Amino acid sequence: MIDRQVSDGTYQDVAKSVKRLFRDIDVWGGRLLFGNTTPALNNVSGRLARMRSTRAFDRSLQESRDAQNFRRLGIVNLGYPFNRHVLAEITSKFQGAIEDDRYSFPYADRPNTVKRIANALFCRKLCNPRSISELETLITPSIIDLLEHNYGAHFGIVTVEMYRTYHVESQITAQVDPYSSWWHCDQRPTDLVKLFINLTEVDENSGPFMAATRSMTAEMLRSERFRGRHETAFDPSAKDLATGRIVALTGKPGVAMLCNTQECLHRAGVPQQGRHRDLLQIVLCSSKAPLKQGWLQAIDPQFGKASRYRRP
Ligand SMILES: O=C(O)CCC(=O)C(=O)O
């Protein structure tokens, strides 16, 4: 009996090591072939999924200059495209819920590690954004047009996340990633892109979302500034920001940015002491058909928790 348990344990350890090795090779391939840290297989499957949906889409839009730019850079600032009354209603419901334990919860990617080091968590997420029905109304036909125009294909919505990030002391961020504040790629199939919408006014002191263009991502991964250092230690230079090779999502509530977070290194900035930042994040994936009504109730509540997720 004991022998059997030992051999089962050994078998599981070997299987885990093989899986880890395969994943390391896959990520190394992504870095080498595609200039990002998303596994090579997810780069390939994302491109194929995107190609299939592009083929089903209006040809003149596929080739729009904006779609070409988004494909080339991996980032586009959309300005303030949303109806401000609808957004104000969403923000007010979010604000009423985000510090109430009945509707929101403290969040970290690795909560146990963060708690062990910091004895606290520094982000709160809404449990169920589906309860904010105005989110469905936010995505009007003209917003769908705008997103398709930049994405160059039809899209589906995989999930919605709404969260608040708080200040974290630098000695903690030097040891652990409190809420995606270390530079990273998301490592999912590359047709998945994220729409970020600030719900509070955000300046450089309130921890803006930051992203590097695709070419800057490849450069960062090769550079001495990045490689071999703790990733959190990488601070963009004034030149990186001035040339737009790294962008920060700052502005009044409602400012929005589309980013291919699989292909572009990105991070959440850390707000200064006493400040916080509220964000709405909508995750899009390629689709052969236009977005269906009722998408909000069909989103995947397990996204982010599971490595596999449901496509709409
Ligand atoms: O909250 C942010 O600004 C960044 C979030 C992020 O890194 C992600 O969703 O992958």
Side-chain angles (χ1 to χ4, degrees):
M1 181 69 178
I2 291 175
D3 278 356
R4 173 78 185 273
Q5 278 174 359
V6 169
S7 75
D8 278 358
T10 315
Y11 173 75
Q12 278 166 7
D13 287 349
V14 171
K16 257 195 214 151
S17 306
V18 170
K19 211 168 147 190
R20 209 174 304 130
L21 180 67
F22 178 77
R23 183 160 175 94
D24 286 351
I25 294 172
D26 203 6
V27 171
W28 175 80
R31 202 163 165 149
L32 196 74
L33 300 173
F34 299 98
N36 57 51
T37 56
T38 291
L41 284 179
N42 281 349
N43 272 281
V44 173
S45 66
R47 282 180 186 212
L48 291 176
R50 173 81 175 256
M51 252 163 55
R52 280 194 291 268
S53 61
T54 302
R55 250 190 255 133
F57 193 60
D58 180 337
R59 205 163 169 75
S60 59
L61 285 178
Q62 285 167 31
E63 285 160 7
S64 80
R65 184 179 292 232
D66 288 336
Q68 284 170 13
N69 271 342
F70 179 59
R71 203 163 332 163
R72 183 170 60 84
L73 300 172
I75 304 171
V76 58
N77 195 327
L78 299 175
Y80 296 86
F82 298 103
N83 178 303
R84 65 192 165 87
H85 301 295
V86 179
L87 201 64
E89 190 58 34
I90 292 171
T91 306
S92 138
K93 289 194 173 171
F94 169 82
Q95 285 171 346
I98 196 61
E99 300 212 342
D100 184 331
D101 284 329
R102 286 173 301 170
Y103 308 116
S104 61
F105 63 101
Y107 171 84
D109 229 10
R110 299 211 167 99
N112 293 339
T113 317
V114 179
K115 271 194 225 151
R116 182 165 44 77
I117 288 168
N119 209 19
L121 297 182
F122 303 92
C123 174
R124 286 187 73 89
K125 259 189 192 173
L126 226 54
C127 304
N128 183 17
R130 280 181 293 189
S131 64
I132 304 186
S133 58
E134 289 79 4
L135 285 167
E136 178 99 25
T137 339
L138 189 68
I139 309 299
T140 57
S142 72
I143 294 291
I144 294 177
D145 273 358
L146 174 77
L147 294 173
E148 287 184 343
H149 179 80
N150 283 281
Y151 188 68
H154 295 306
F155 64 86
I157 295 184
V158 182
T159 199
V160 174
E161 309 258 14
M162 297 179 79
Y163 53 93
R164 173 171 288 179
T165 51
Y166 299 87
H167 174 70
V168 191
E169 295 295 337
S170 55
Q171 67 270 25
I172 293 171
T173 56
Q175 296 175 70
V176 71
D177 188 352
Y179 43 67
S180 304
S181 75
W182 290 3
W183 291 96
H184 63 284
C185 294
D186 284 348
Q187 304 198 303
R188 302 206 182 244
T190 51
D191 63 305
L192 265 72
V193 303
K194 286 181 174 173
L195 174 62
F196 294 91
I197 305 154
N198 287 346
L199 298 180
T200 38
E201 178 153 2
V202 176
D203 61 19
E204 57 281 8
N205 299 319
S206 28
F209 167 71
M210 299 186 106
T213 59
R214 287 178 65 208
S215 60
M216 182 62 179
T217 294
E219 214 175 285
M220 276 163 80
L221 290 173
R222 285 194 304 266
S223 81
E224 284 307 322
R225 266 206 301 165
F226 197 79
R227 193 179 46 198
R229 285 180 60 174
H230 211 265
E231 298 194 334
T232 194
F234 180 89
D235 276 322
S237 67
K239 189 170 161 218
D240 295 331
L241 290 164
T243 52
R245 296 183 328 150
I246 294 186
V247 295
L249 181 57
T250 53
K252 298 211 177 301
V255 69
M257 185 179 280
L258 195 61
C259 176
N260 188 323
T261 52
Q262 327 303 328
E263 295 183 332
C264 297
L265 279 169
H266 61 282
R267 61 169 293 205
V270 176
Q272 278 187 354
Q273 185 109 45
R275 302 185 70 165
H276 65 257
R277 176 199 59 150
D278 294 345
L279 204 106
L280 162 61
Q281 190 188 100
I282 302 181
V283 183
L284 318 181
C285 68
S286 62
S287 166
K288 286 192 204 155
L291 185 68
K292 293 190 197 80
Q293 269 195 349
W295 60 265
L296 183 61
Q297 291 312 315
I299 60 174
D300 182 357
Q302 291 302 315
F303 185 89
K305 295 196 197 95
S307 58
R308 297 215 164 268
Y309 52 89
R310 211 163 12 87
R311 280 177 184 262

